Amino acid sequence: WKHIHIGSWRDVLRWCMVTPFFSGMLLTSVLALKNAPMSLVVVLRSCSPIVGLAIESFYPHPPKVNYKMWGSMLLMLGGSILYAWHLPHKELVGAGWAVVNAAFAVGDRLLQRLMLSAEQRPVNMSKAGVTVLNNLLGIPPILLCALVTQEWKTLPVASDISVATYLWILASCIVGVGISYTGIWAQSLISATSFLMLINANKFAIIAIEATFFNKRLTLAQLVGAFITIVAAIMYGKAQEDTKDLKETLKDTEQEPLVQNKQSV
């Protein structure tokens, strides 16, 4: 309990703005994966960093962007298009849900960045407090959707659930806590655009897992598209590092001339 800190009810109300996007992202992710392959969902979300950067540019302290970062985002988009270009038509059924999921994901990342970053407009809450609050507030809308769709009727009887199933559910809970906490921690350190790029790059590894363990056959163009996307994410990270190095260099050079001029006089 000593790690769970929530400053005031105003902070709670501010964080309530995140809840619809957080819950919507979870729900639409399930619906998208139900009606489309995992790889299609990942590909369609590749556009999210560009949208996120456009909105994040209006923040109190917008991220520094150079032409290399824009180039890497466009390269990622090109690789994703190359991958999706050869998808069978039947796999495009869930594309609508995937697009909605990407929109919710962008909104969730942008709001979390605004309220978690010390240089933006942060809430007075600890990371553990944000994790607990984020998941508690997400329960009511999820339950409401389950009741509306009457999904609860499909739940199996407790006696029919095996021990192995309970262990898998427990494991998913543990992994879920890790994803939630480390996601909040990472979002407090990097911009929403960088986080979206990070997610896209990491999730292309899922495509490799899908191809390896679920007999998902990929064409040469799809493999090239996935490779381009991962390389683009690495290029984005390097370009962002260059921006930070340039910023630090300019900061140092702004301070040095005053001392040098004084000595020369």
Side-chain angles (χ1 to χ4, degrees):
W1 288 104
K2 64 180 181 179
H3 297 290
I4 300 176
H5 169 74
I6 299 176
S8 65
W9 281 106
R10 182 177 180 275
D11 294 315
V12 175
L13 292 175
R14 285 187 63 199
W15 194 263
C16 284
M17 291 188 293
V18 180
T19 303
F21 292 94
F22 176 71
S23 303
M25 181 177 62
L26 295 178
L27 285 170
T28 55
S29 177
V30 172
L31 291 170
L33 292 174
K34 183 180 179 181
N35 296 283
M38 192 180 300
S39 54
L40 177 61
V41 178
V42 175
V43 168
L44 289 178
R45 286 187 63 171
S46 64
C47 301
S48 57
I50 299 176
V51 179
L53 182 59
I55 299 175
E56 204 170 9
S57 62
F58 295 97
Y59 274 24
H61 296 280
K64 301 293 183 181
V65 184
N66 56 29
Y67 71 94
K68 293 181 181 179
M69 295 168 67
W70 276 111
S72 60
M73 282 191 286
L74 293 175
L75 185 62
M76 172 175 278
L77 180 60
S80 302
I81 293 174
L82 178 62
Y83 179 91
W85 194 262
H86 294 83
L87 285 175
H89 179 72
K90 63 180 182 179
E91 294 190 354
L92 299 177
V93 177
W97 284 117
V99 171
V100 175
N101 174 252
F104 276 117
V106 171
D108 178 66
R109 289 295 113 206
L110 287 170
L111 285 173
Q112 288 205 30
R113 173 61 178 175
L114 184 65
M115 299 185 195
L116 291 175
S117 174
E119 62 182 11
Q120 304 296 342
R121 295 176 181 173
V123 291
N124 183 18
M125 291 192 291
S126 63
K127 296 180 181 66
V130 170
T131 304
V132 172
L133 189 62
N134 209 25
N135 288 278
L136 283 178
L137 293 175
I139 292 175
I142 297 293
L143 290 179
L144 178 62
C145 291
L147 292 173
V148 170
T149 59
Q150 297 187 344
E151 191 180 33
W152 56 273
K153 292 182 178 179
T154 63
L155 290 175
V157 180
S159 58
D160 296 336
I161 302 176
S162 64
V163 176
T165 301
Y166 280 115
L167 291 176
W168 280 117
I169 294 174
L170 176 62
S172 70
C173 292
I174 295 173
V175 172
V177 171
I179 291 173
S180 183
Y181 184 82
T182 55
I184 289 170
W185 192 355
Q187 189 59 91
S188 66
L189 300 174
I190 60 178
S191 68
T193 305
S194 298
F195 197 99
L196 291 169
M197 288 286 289
L198 178 65
I199 290 175
N200 291 342
N202 288 342
K203 286 193 174 180
F204 259 90
I206 297 175
I207 296 176
I209 295 173
E210 192 178 29
T212 304
F213 298 101
F214 296 97
N215 297 323
K216 173 71 174 179
R217 294 184 178 179
L218 300 179
T219 64
L220 178 60
Q222 288 175 327
L223 288 172
V224 172
F227 177 77
I228 290 175
T229 303
I230 295 173
V231 170
I234 297 173
M235 290 173 57
Y236 181 90
K238 184 66 174 69
Q240 192 176 43
E241 285 183 1
D242 294 341
T243 302
K244 291 181 179 179
D245 293 340
L246 177 62
K247 184 178 179 181
E248 292 177 358
T249 302
L250 290 174
K251 185 177 179 180
D252 294 338
T253 54
E254 286 176 356
Q255 297 175 353
E256 290 177 358
L258 294 177
V259 179
Q260 294 174 355
N261 290 340
K262 185 176 180 180
Q263 292 177 347
S264 62
V265 171

